[in-house]
Amino acid sequence: MSTAVRLIMKEWKAFEYNAPDYIFAGPMKNDIFHWHAIIIGPPDTPFADGIFNLDIIYSYEHPFKPPKCTMKTKMFHPNISSTGKISISILEDDWRPVFTIEKILLSISSILDTPIMDHPINRKAARCFRENRNTYNSIVRKYTSKYANGSSTDSDNEQDLLPEMLHTDTDSENEQDLPPEILHTETNNSLFDFLCFILIFLGILDLILDFYTFFK
């Protein structure tokens, strides 16, 4: 038995004993390196009661390389791409051999309602989260209702959910795909910035005129 297999089996036993009741995980049949996991959406959030499925593949070099975790349930989230890639530091540069499957799933669960906004992988979701939280929450609830109900399949058409937003790749930055509330906010911000620039310019011009008059 390899070191990786022995550690994964030990981790599995510890997880079954210690895991909280809103995360579930275990190996697929006949493959200790391939796991299926479920996270139940946190209460009092747009993800509440959603059933979020993950595919986890351990490296043969475990624990020195992080497992590959893919979100199989479609969701609208800054740190999860349209293909299910999960962008969190502990699965990348901050991975440590002491991290367990419980630690990984708890970290993913924690970012559902508290995204890490430093380096979002889904730019459209990140932009919506920053600029119009009500719209973001509404979209997340729709995704949760449609895709995280335990019965949706991969054949579900995502474009039927929000056709005005999803005719192109979810991770695109095309302005025509953004909700009108976001574009309206951006227009207001641009106008505000322009007015501030004019006021600052006039203030500087007034100072120059005063300076010129004083030394004339």
Side-chain angles (χ1 to χ4, degrees):
M1 182 183 297
S2 70
T3 300
V5 170
R6 186 167 61 253
L7 289 173
I8 293 171
M9 291 184 68
K10 181 179 179 181
E11 198 171 312
W12 181 19
K13 291 180 180 179
F15 178 83
E16 287 186 321
Y17 184 77
N18 297 316
D21 59 5
Y22 55 89
I23 58 174
F24 308 88
M28 305 287 279
K29 186 177 180 180
N30 299 326
D31 189 353
I32 192 67
F33 288 93
H34 189 184
W35 284 40
H36 174 241
I38 292 175
I39 295 175
I40 305 299
D44 303 319
T45 75
F47 299 93
D49 299 324
I51 301 172
F52 300 96
N53 292 277
L54 297 96
D55 188 68
I56 300 171
I57 299 178
Y58 280 94
S59 167
Y60 290 119
E61 299 177 54
H62 180 77
F64 302 105
K65 286 189 176 181
K68 179 182 179 182
C69 299
T70 304
M71 179 65 69
K72 304 302 290 184
T73 303
K74 293 178 182 178
M75 65 165 57
F76 189 71
H77 190 281
N79 301 122
I80 300 174
S81 76
S82 58
T83 59
K85 177 178 172 58
I86 302 170
S87 179
I88 56 175
S89 61
I90 69 165
L91 293 177
E92 298 168 351
D93 296 339
D94 290 340
W95 170 257
R96 299 292 182 270
V98 295
F99 290 161
T100 64
I101 188 65
E102 182 179 356
K103 166 71 173 177
I104 293 170
L105 293 177
L106 288 175
S107 296
I108 295 173
S109 177
S110 71
I111 68 166
L112 289 184
D113 195 49
T114 311
I116 301 169
M117 301 302 292
D118 293 342
H119 302 287
I121 193 172
N122 186 328
R123 292 178 295 171
K124 183 182 294 182
R127 194 170 182 179
C128 192
F129 180 86
R130 287 191 185 103
E131 299 181 7
N132 196 315
R133 192 67 59 84
N134 288 335
T135 297
Y136 173 84
N137 288 341
S138 176
I139 294 171
V140 170
R141 289 190 189 97
K142 290 178 181 178
Y143 268 69
T144 300
S145 175
K146 184 173 179 66
Y147 298 118
N149 57 24
S151 61
S152 62
T153 66
D154 291 340
S155 62
D156 289 330
N157 191 346
E158 195 171 8
Q159 293 189 7
D160 293 339
L161 185 61
L162 293 170
E164 73 278 10
M165 293 184 62
L166 299 173
H167 286 164
T168 59
D169 185 4
T170 303
D171 300 337
S172 72
E173 194 69 290
N174 192 337
E175 286 193 353
Q176 69 181 8
D177 300 324
L178 294 171
E181 295 90 343
I182 299 297
L183 296 178
H184 180 67
T185 300
E186 285 203 333
T187 302
N188 289 341
N189 288 342
S190 298
L191 180 60
F192 178 76
D193 291 342
F194 177 73
L195 291 174
C196 287
F197 172 78
I198 294 297
L199 290 173
I200 292 171
F201 176 77
L202 291 175
I204 294 173
L205 183 61
D206 188 53
L207 287 174
I208 292 173
L209 290 174
D210 288 344
F211 185 80
Y212 176 78
T213 303
F214 179 79
F215 285 99
K216 186 175 179 181

